[in-house]
Amino acid sequence: MTDHSISRFLAADAADVDPLETGEWRDAFLALVATHGPARARFILDQLAALARGPHVGWSPELVTPYVNTIDVDRQPAFPGDLAIEEKLASLMRWNALAMVARANMAYGELGGHIASYASAADLFEVGFNHFFHGRSEQHGGDLVFFQPHSAPGVYARAYLEGRLTEADLAHYRQEITGPRHGARGLSSYPHPYLMPDFWQFPTGSMGLGPISSIYHARFMRYLTHRGLLDCTGRKVWGVFGDGEMDEPESMSALTLASRERLDNLVWVVNCNLQRLDGPVRGNGRIIEELEKLFRGAGWNVIKLVWGSDWDGLFARDVTGALTRAFASTVDGQMQTFAAKDGRFNRDNFFGQNEELARLAQGMTDEQIDRLKRGGHDLVKIHAAYAAAAEHVGAPSVILAHTKKGYGMGSAGQGRMTTHSQKKLDGAALIEFRNRFNLPISDEQARSLEFFKPPPDSPELQYLHARRASLGGYLPQRQSAAAPLPVPELASYGSFATAAAGREMSTTMAFVRLLGSLLKDAQLGPRIVPIVADEARTFGMANLFKQVGIYSSVGQRYEPEDIGSVLSYREALDGQILEEGISEAGAIASWTAAATSYSVHGLAMLPFYIYYSMFGFQRVGDLIWAAADQRARGFLLGATSGRTTLAGEGLQHQDGSSHLVAATVPNCRAYDPAFAGEMAVIVDRGMREMLIDQHDVFYYVTLMNENYAQPDLPAGVEDDVMRGCYRFASYQAQDGGSAPRVTLLGSGAILTEVVAAARQLAAAGVACDVFSVTSWSELAREGQALELRSLAGEAAALPFVTRQLAGSAGPVIAASDYVRAVPESIRAFIPAGRRYLTLGTDGFGRSDTRAALREFFGVDAAGIVRAARAALPSP
């Protein structure tokens, strides 16, 4: 017979060599608390802890508290709402969420969906919606709420009861193409602002990105307040995340930033249902204890929400501490088993561990034991935890809420290993779910998965609307109205770049000079957010330290060693630069907060994040994709770009692929300018597109650290620069019209090699037309769009690049500092009958000089000349 007792898993307590002395110490401490109060007791403990840290003892207090609620019943505030109505509303949302997913999979088995995550988090959401989550209104700027992605069906179910979504919309869950064909709105799988731009505010569907994003949004709100741009006082950032999600490195990477910045406007709720997708989060450990250690060590205020009100009486009768000891010895894997089993099993195997526990369960029926709630399913306990977190000052708060995955799904899914993938329930399971939550639907309605919505004048719906009205309106709700921001004329700040007159500079230096001038503009300047990941000096931005300062929530509390320098380091409360340290993930999260300020806060900001290009799309590409989903507006500057410009750094630093990846992001406009004038036009036009026209795009612009002569920008080519290419120059051979001709395309750092090759070819009797390609991806996108129109039978003009090259002749050779797939993207649009050869930097980078690297990859002038000669027909 299988032994179900957990006692076989429990470790013996450390032996007490002198129980009498131990008891005396305990009695003395309890007397101290009773006589002088908790404050004095904490002081004495601090003194003892300081002594115990000495080398001869080597002890420090554990960061773990007992496995009980942080807020005991005596300190619990009165629940301010109608508990019966709120429980009924939560039950209705649970049903509609379940019906939505199950109906979709009954019709189309491949659609997927998640029921169990929302079942565990429903009450956590509802307390927030009814009492804490503020919408944006004239009286309140609105809270920011990051929703656990797998719980999206529950948010849709609430919006259905609110009248913001229809029954037809719910019937087309995960059918974003089919839904509109039937007059319904297709609902996205997870929170996706790009797909539902008036509904979802923050994308959290790639787990781990929501946590880091919420931290940097909270910090950006402080930045706006301290700089006097927008008062965000009184606003909160709430995040509901899963305990399994905490394994993602991005979830934890910025915890100390939140505490260091004292972000008491930030509250996380970690839904600790103890299960990942496949099984227990910490099968042989306790995730709640592990997270408590982690957050306490990082300086957060930790609130444990473990047990519901039904346990209060048991704890009150437990004078020996048997419950606390049993919980401290029960690992998550066993706790999951308790969740999956019924009351009789829990009586025999939890309360049956010893006589003390058995006595506590006397007088309780098996059903009462089965209904003992974990803290995350008790509205009263949840409210108490939320209220404490919202009122806490001086540090961010995290609520570790103990729940059951698949709560209420009974034998069909509650606490089961397979519950995450559960999306179908049979008739008996549906009726069991109906009965569990006392839903007002018939057996037939349950079996047919009918949605249920009370009448508009019902007490439930009136209560629901009243609660949201008192909190400023419905959530989630994305708004995009923001006043346009004037952009100065390019000539007023960028003439040094467009009329460079052959002066030598790198495009990185040209950008920094451009940025410095823009920061001085009275209207635009204050809205610019320069962001770096500890590379400001590398990119020549040190002069901005004095000009606009580095943001610090506490100002500057030290005298920097370079204080006498013109370029000394300067931190300030109203500083403008966000210097994020060595954290590309943090910097891009900060950029996203600024780039979405127009929608999140109704205030347009313009972030410029400059970084080693290799550490962008390759390293934090998922965060960039999430920013695209959130309809970000701003500039990403990929500096030291290309595989042959950052010569000495080698393989891990040399970028040959970022433009290839950038081309896959639909609302990213990627440019690889060779010259300062091109870069200035791109920045100018980009600012106008995002700040004046208010298009939901962002720009990726690569910059080089190589100094070379910068020509004047030819007159009238600005539109061509933005469309992707323009004729830079023509080089005639001595033989004139009888000479063979080739056409050379180049971008970024390699355009100077292309120009050198053209001159060599012309001197050798081959005429050349040189085109500067500012954006391979813009050329390819336009060509592909026209091609699709043509295939659909619509009249379509020739692609822009085809028309540009029509005025040239001969084979076409294209070269860039990126993999050949980048110039290959326009092959289909080369004029018919023209041979097309591409040169690139495929493979891993290496450390050497620029000249050696370009020769190695065959993208130097000599390599381009060889390719051109090979492409010419034999004489």
Side-chain angles (χ1 to χ4, degrees):
M1 181 177 178
T2 303
D3 178 11
H4 291 293
S5 171
I6 69 167
S7 60
R8 67 192 193 281
F9 299 124
L10 304 184
D13 291 336
D16 187 345
V17 297
D18 192 341
L20 182 61
E21 181 184 30
T22 302
E24 291 173 351
W25 277 95
R26 286 175 177 158
D27 291 343
F29 179 74
L30 292 174
L32 173 68
V33 175
T35 305
H36 298 287
R40 177 64 179 169
R42 287 194 296 269
F43 174 81
I44 294 297
L45 287 174
D46 287 340
Q47 297 299 308
L48 292 173
L51 286 173
R53 291 191 191 103
H56 300 296
V57 179
W59 175 90
S60 62
E62 259 201 286
L63 295 172
V64 174
T65 58
Y67 209 76
V68 297
N69 294 342
T70 300
I71 302 170
D72 59 43
V73 66
D74 295 331
R75 296 188 298 121
Q76 200 171 280
F79 187 74
D82 188 315
L83 192 59
I85 288 182
E86 290 192 26
E87 287 181 338
K88 186 171 183 180
L89 282 169
S91 297
L92 293 177
M93 291 169 205
R94 276 194 173 91
W95 170 257
N96 287 328
L98 180 150
M100 182 192 329
V101 175
R103 283 176 63 164
N105 282 279
M106 187 180 295
Y108 308 99
E110 74 267 26
L111 287 179
H114 302 280
I115 300 170
S117 291
Y118 175 70
S120 68
D123 298 303
L124 300 174
F125 282 175
E126 283 308 298
V127 171
F129 277 124
N130 288 324
H131 301 284
F132 293 95
F133 301 162
H134 286 85
R136 194 195 300 180
S137 65
E138 292 183 3
Q139 293 75 36
H140 195 284
D143 291 336
L144 283 56
V145 185
F146 290 75
F147 293 98
Q148 190 178 9
H150 291 145
S151 297
V155 181
Y156 293 139
R158 167 171 265 271
Y160 168 60
L161 293 188
E162 292 170 339
R164 298 197 294 147
L165 294 176
T166 67
E167 184 172 324
D169 296 334
L170 265 60
H172 288 88
Y173 171 61
R174 290 194 171 192
Q175 298 167 61
E176 296 167 89
I177 299 171
T178 308
R181 294 173 183 169
H182 294 84
R185 180 173 193 169
L187 303 181
S188 62
S189 54
Y190 306 123
H192 291 303
Y194 193 86
L195 301 173
M196 299 180 68
D198 62 340
F199 192 86
W200 293 115
Q201 198 170 26
F202 303 107
T204 54
S206 187
M207 289 194 293
L209 303 191
I212 190 172
S213 184
S214 71
I215 290 174
Y216 280 89
H217 271 281
R219 202 277 296 268
F220 189 70
M221 289 165 68
R222 289 287 171 82
Y223 173 87
L224 292 175
T225 301
H226 290 155
R227 291 195 55 226
L229 296 171
L230 184 71
D231 186 2
C232 297
T233 305
R235 299 172 62 191
K236 295 283 186 184
V237 178
W238 296 84
V240 182
F241 309 118
D243 49 358
E245 185 176 7
M246 293 299 105
D247 284 344
E248 291 283 5
E250 292 88 354
S251 297
M252 295 301 183
S253 63
L255 294 188
T256 54
L257 171 83
S259 58
R260 186 170 68 247
E261 298 286 313
R262 300 171 61 86
L263 297 180
D264 51 19
N265 60 341
L266 176 67
V267 179
W268 280 11
V269 181
V270 181
N271 177 20
C272 297
N273 57 36
L274 313 186
Q275 285 187 247
R276 286 191 275 227
L277 277 59
D278 292 335
V281 174
R282 293 288 182 273
N284 295 306
R286 285 178 291 279
I287 185 61
I288 289 179
E289 287 188 349
E290 183 176 318
L291 292 176
E292 182 180 18
K293 289 180 185 178
L294 189 63
F295 281 96
R296 284 193 192 281
W300 286 52
N301 173 45
V302 178
I303 299 171
K304 289 165 76 171
L305 172 59
V306 188
W307 307 113
S309 301
D310 298 336
W311 289 89
D312 288 342
L314 293 172
F315 278 110
R317 298 200 303 273
D318 180 21
V319 294
T320 67
L323 275 176
T324 303
R325 289 195 300 276
F327 291 142
S329 302
T330 306
V331 296
D332 285 357
Q334 190 64 37
M335 197 70 76
Q336 179 190 359
T337 301
F338 291 147
K341 301 297 184 179
D342 59 14
R344 168 54 62 180
F345 180 92
N346 282 281
R347 179 191 296 279
D348 293 342
N349 293 280
F350 178 75
F351 290 103
Q353 293 178 63
N354 54 55
E355 291 184 6
E356 293 171 298
L357 291 174
R359 282 196 296 271
L360 290 176
Q362 286 178 354
M364 297 179 69
T365 66
D366 289 347
E367 183 179 8
Q368 286 174 317
I369 292 175
D370 190 48
R371 293 294 181 93
L372 286 170
K373 287 181 179 178
R374 296 182 180 178
H377 301 305
D378 187 309
L379 301 183
V380 174
K381 298 290 187 184
I382 297 169
H383 179 272
Y386 280 28
E391 294 167 4
H392 187 76
V393 175
S397 293
V398 60
I399 297 167
L400 303 177
H402 194 195
T403 65
K404 293 180 181 180
K405 194 161 189 175
Y407 178 65
M409 293 171 64
S411 58
Q414 180 172 285
R416 303 284 174 179
M417 292 288 191
T418 58
T419 190
H420 186 80
S421 301
Q422 187 79 35
K423 33 193 171 283
K424 297 179 181 179
L425 289 88
D426 60 23
L430 292 169
I431 289 174
E432 182 183 356
F433 188 93
R434 186 274 313 271
N435 294 341
R436 171 67 180 81
F437 293 106
N438 298 316
L439 295 162
I441 56 177
S442 67
D443 288 0
E444 180 55 33
Q445 287 174 315
R447 292 192 188 96
S448 59
L449 292 166
E450 289 188 22
F451 297 123
F452 182 84
K453 184 176 182 179
D457 60 351
S458 65
E460 293 83 9
L461 288 195
Q462 288 184 345
Y463 183 89
L464 179 144
H465 290 299
R467 292 309 308 149
R468 287 314 311 161
S470 70
L471 289 168
Y474 302 108
L475 286 175
Q477 185 175 145
R478 181 181 179 276
Q479 301 178 36
S480 58
L485 191 56
V487 175
E489 292 300 319
L490 177 57
S492 69
Y493 65 89
S495 59
F496 77 92
T498 56
R503 289 188 297 273
E504 284 202 359
M505 69 181 93
S506 68
T507 52
T508 298
M509 287 299 96
F511 165 73
V512 172
R513 182 174 173 183
L514 198 78
L515 180 63
S517 296
L518 287 171
L519 285 165
K520 295 173 183 175
D521 184 79
Q523 292 180 290
L524 177 62
R527 304 286 189 90
I528 290 175
V529 185
I531 303 172
V532 289
D534 199 46
E535 292 285 2
R537 295 186 191 275
T538 300
F539 302 134
M541 297 173 65
N543 62 308
L544 298 182
F545 295 165
K546 279 286 185 70
Q547 181 179 339
V548 295
I550 298 163
Y551 171 70
S552 167
S553 61
V554 296
Q556 188 157 306
R557 296 175 171 176
Y558 61 93
E559 184 177 281
E561 63 82 20
D562 61 351
I563 194 168
S565 167
V566 175
L567 305 179
S568 65
Y569 204 77
R570 184 175 75 88
E571 299 185 59
L573 185 64
D574 61 350
Q576 199 159 345
I577 301 169
L578 290 176
E579 225 284 12
E580 302 298 6
I582 305 175
S583 173
E584 286 83 8
I588 195 66
S590 208
W591 180 85
T592 301
T596 56
S597 177
Y598 76 94
S599 65
V600 176
H601 306 295
L603 181 74
M605 301 293 288
L606 183 64
F608 289 89
Y609 170 33
I610 184 169
Y611 55 91
Y612 274 31
S613 66
M614 192 64 160
F615 302 153
F617 285 89
Q618 175 159 308
R619 184 161 190 156
V620 291
D622 202 10
L623 283 157
I624 295 174
W625 187 262
D629 188 353
Q630 202 175 328
R631 296 173 173 255
R633 300 174 186 172
F635 287 93
L636 296 175
L637 290 309
T640 60
S641 65
R643 187 147 282 162
T644 68
T645 62
L646 194 59
E649 296 283 0
L651 183 150
Q652 197 64 27
H653 287 64
Q654 293 169 347
D655 167 30
S657 57
S658 66
H659 274 284
L660 190 63
V661 183
T664 68
V665 183
N667 51 346
C668 173
R669 300 191 65 181
Y671 290 88
D672 185 31
F675 299 124
E678 297 170 357
M679 180 272 299
V681 168
I682 292 164
V683 171
D684 180 70
R685 293 290 185 90
M687 290 191 296
R688 296 179 190 283
E689 184 174 12
M690 293 182 283
L691 299 178
I692 297 175
D693 300 336
Q694 300 197 38
H695 292 167
D696 294 344
V697 297
F698 65 98
Y699 278 63
Y700 174 57
V701 184
T702 43
L703 305 172
M704 278 70 72
N705 63 344
E706 183 179 357
N707 290 322
Y708 46 76
Q710 299 288 338
D712 291 350
L713 187 72
V717 301
E718 290 82 0
D719 289 344
D720 291 354
V721 167
M722 298 307 297
R723 296 187 72 172
C725 75
Y726 68 95
R727 184 190 293 269
F728 174 74
S730 294
Y731 299 86
Q732 302 303 324
Q734 291 180 353
D735 293 344
S738 62
R741 299 190 71 87
V742 296
T743 300
L744 305 182
L745 310 183
S747 70
I750 302 305
L751 184 58
T752 57
E753 300 289 343
V754 169
V755 171
R759 288 176 175 147
Q760 292 176 25
L761 286 165
V766 179
C768 299
D769 294 302
V770 174
F771 287 81
S772 175
V773 177
T774 51
S775 178
W776 303 98
S777 56
E778 288 298 302
L779 293 176
R781 284 175 179 172
E782 191 250 13
Q784 290 159 3
L786 292 174
E787 191 174 51
L788 289 174
R789 287 178 55 187
S790 179
L791 290 172
E794 300 179 31
L798 288 173
F800 174 71
V801 66
T802 309
R803 288 182 278 122
Q804 285 286 80
L805 295 179
S808 67
V812 182
I813 292 85
S816 84
D817 216 7
Y818 296 86
V819 294
R820 290 177 59 237
V822 172
E824 280 290 332
S825 64
I826 67 167
R827 176 178 288 277
F829 315 116
I830 301 301
R834 307 272 294 275
R835 189 175 180 186
Y836 186 55
L837 293 180
T838 58
L839 305 177
T841 55
D842 294 61
F844 287 118
R846 287 160 172 78
S847 295
D848 214 308
T849 64
R850 292 191 185 103
L853 288 169
R854 289 171 185 171
E855 179 186 14
F856 175 80
F857 286 110
V859 293
D860 61 349
I864 296 166
V865 167
R866 285 194 301 271
R869 289 191 177 280
L872 285 168
S874 300

